[in-house]
């Protein structure tokens, strides 16, 4: 998983057909997705339940590229090895999920995965200052986590703060929530490189008619990259 700051589009399978995850992952990858974003929710840290490591393990063989697992669970630490065994490439924990984010990030890297830390909209950039050298990715939530299809919350000042804090470190800035061709340029301009999008990728298509996935991915990518032209 070589590091670069090019724009990467990461469809969230939260907006896919839950009865057909394997085919949905293959379809969005064939249509140009860079990473696959997998949202794990526990009904405790967030007010919704999705699935756990067994489902991640089941979809892993259907993903050729990066499996980016976003944990919206508390506690995190008892489940880290299970997500490593499931084949997660990136495992992201919320800084708000417990008192020991430092220990959690150590354990994620110790289990052989890239470590991500996520910040809710109400959490400042400074919350990750002491762990900046322990992470490969910082996920800035632009909605309150728990559901797809919510309205984008402007976090561009926080993104710019984090981009300055990161400097030359090989740390991705990922944006999660309400990303579409309208909001993508704002976050890309502020310094984001990984754009998660659920509803804006999966709308209008299906595994039997995947071409709209490609149109949607290209529209988000073009909007984001347009800031540099
Ligand atoms: C929200 C999830 C997101 C969600 C994004 O809690 O972490 O990944 O699927 O969905 P959209 O792109 O529809 O806002
Ligand atoms: Zn997510």
């Amino acid at each position: 998983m070589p590091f670069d700051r090019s724009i990467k589009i990461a469809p969230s399978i939260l907006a896919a057909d839950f009865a057909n995850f394997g085919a949905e992952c293959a379809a969005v990858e064939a249509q140009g997705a860079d990473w696959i974003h997998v949202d794990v929710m526990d009904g405790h840290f967030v007010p919704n339940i999705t699935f756990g490591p067994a489902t991640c393990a089941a979809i892993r063989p259907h993903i050729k590229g990066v499996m980016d697992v976003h944990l919206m669970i508390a506690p995190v630490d008892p489940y880290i090895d299970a997500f490593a065994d499931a084949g997660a490439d990136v495992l992201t924990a919320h800084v708000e999920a417990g008192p020991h984010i430092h220990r959690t990030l150590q354990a994620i890297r110790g289990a052989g995965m890239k470590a991500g830390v996520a910040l809710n909209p109400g959490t400042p950039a400074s919350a990750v200052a002491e762990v900046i050298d322990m992470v490969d990715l910082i996920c800035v939530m632009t909605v309150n986590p728990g559901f797809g299809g919510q309205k984008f919350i402007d976090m561009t000042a926080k993104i710019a703060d984090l981009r300055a804090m990161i400097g030359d470190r090989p740390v991705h800035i990922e944006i999660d929530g309400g990303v579409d061709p309208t909001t993508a340029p704002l976050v890309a301009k502020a310094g984001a490189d990984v754009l998660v999008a659920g509803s804006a990728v999966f709308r209008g298509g299906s595994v039997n008619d995947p071409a709209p996935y490609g149109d949607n991915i290209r529209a988000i990518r073009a909007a984001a990259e347009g800031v540099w032209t």
Side-chain angles (χ1 to χ4, degrees):
M1 218 184 123
F3 181 84
D4 71 69
R5 288 197 196 285
S6 64
I7 294 292
K8 290 162 283 291
I9 308 297
S12 163
I13 60 166
L14 191 61
D17 175 1
F18 270 47
N20 217 356
F21 276 149
E24 290 276 44
C25 290
V28 284
E29 277 194 336
Q31 292 294 324
D34 298 292
W35 293 10
I36 302 293
H37 185 83
V38 180
D39 286 308
V40 176
M41 304 185 187
D42 67 352
H44 168 73
F45 180 70
V46 291
N48 193 10
I49 300 175
T50 54
F51 47 76
T55 302
C56 293
I59 65 176
R60 173 73 266 188
H62 302 272
I63 300 173
K64 291 190 187 132
V66 172
M67 184 160 85
D68 172 35
V69 177
H70 177 193
L71 298 181
M72 288 159 275
I73 68 173
V76 170
D77 295 10
Y79 304 102
I80 290 172
D81 287 344
F83 285 102
D85 291 346
D89 297 296
V90 182
L91 193 66
T92 296
H94 270 260
V95 70
E96 307 88 358
H100 296 296
I101 189 66
H102 189 285
R103 175 185 289 149
T104 298
L105 294 168
Q106 271 184 329
I108 292 172
R109 280 191 168 173
M113 296 172 283
K114 299 286 186 190
V117 64
L119 293 88
N120 282 333
T123 303
S126 59
V128 298
E130 298 298 331
V131 295
I132 191 88
D133 288 312
M134 305 177 66
V135 297
D136 303 286
L137 176 147
I138 299 173
C139 174
V140 178
M141 295 304 302
T142 40
V143 296
N144 285 297
F147 303 94
Q150 302 183 81
K151 189 177 179 329
F152 178 83
I153 303 168
D154 189 349
M155 292 281 132
T156 47
K158 188 197 293 187
I159 298 164
D161 285 352
L162 288 166
R163 185 67 196 86
M165 194 189 293
I166 288 167
D168 292 333
R169 294 173 177 88
V171 177
H172 299 289
I173 296 182
E174 175 176 79
I175 308 302
D176 191 3
V179 173
D180 64 19
T182 306
T183 55
L186 306 174
V187 298
K189 187 175 182 189
D193 61 302
V194 183
L195 307 186
V196 175
S199 31
V201 166
F202 285 94
R203 71 167 58 108
S206 70
V207 291
N208 297 319
D209 177 24
Y213 297 166
D215 295 339
N216 294 338
I217 289 168
R218 281 187 293 278
I220 298 167
R221 193 191 305 282
E225 290 177 346
V227 303
W228 308 119
T229 62

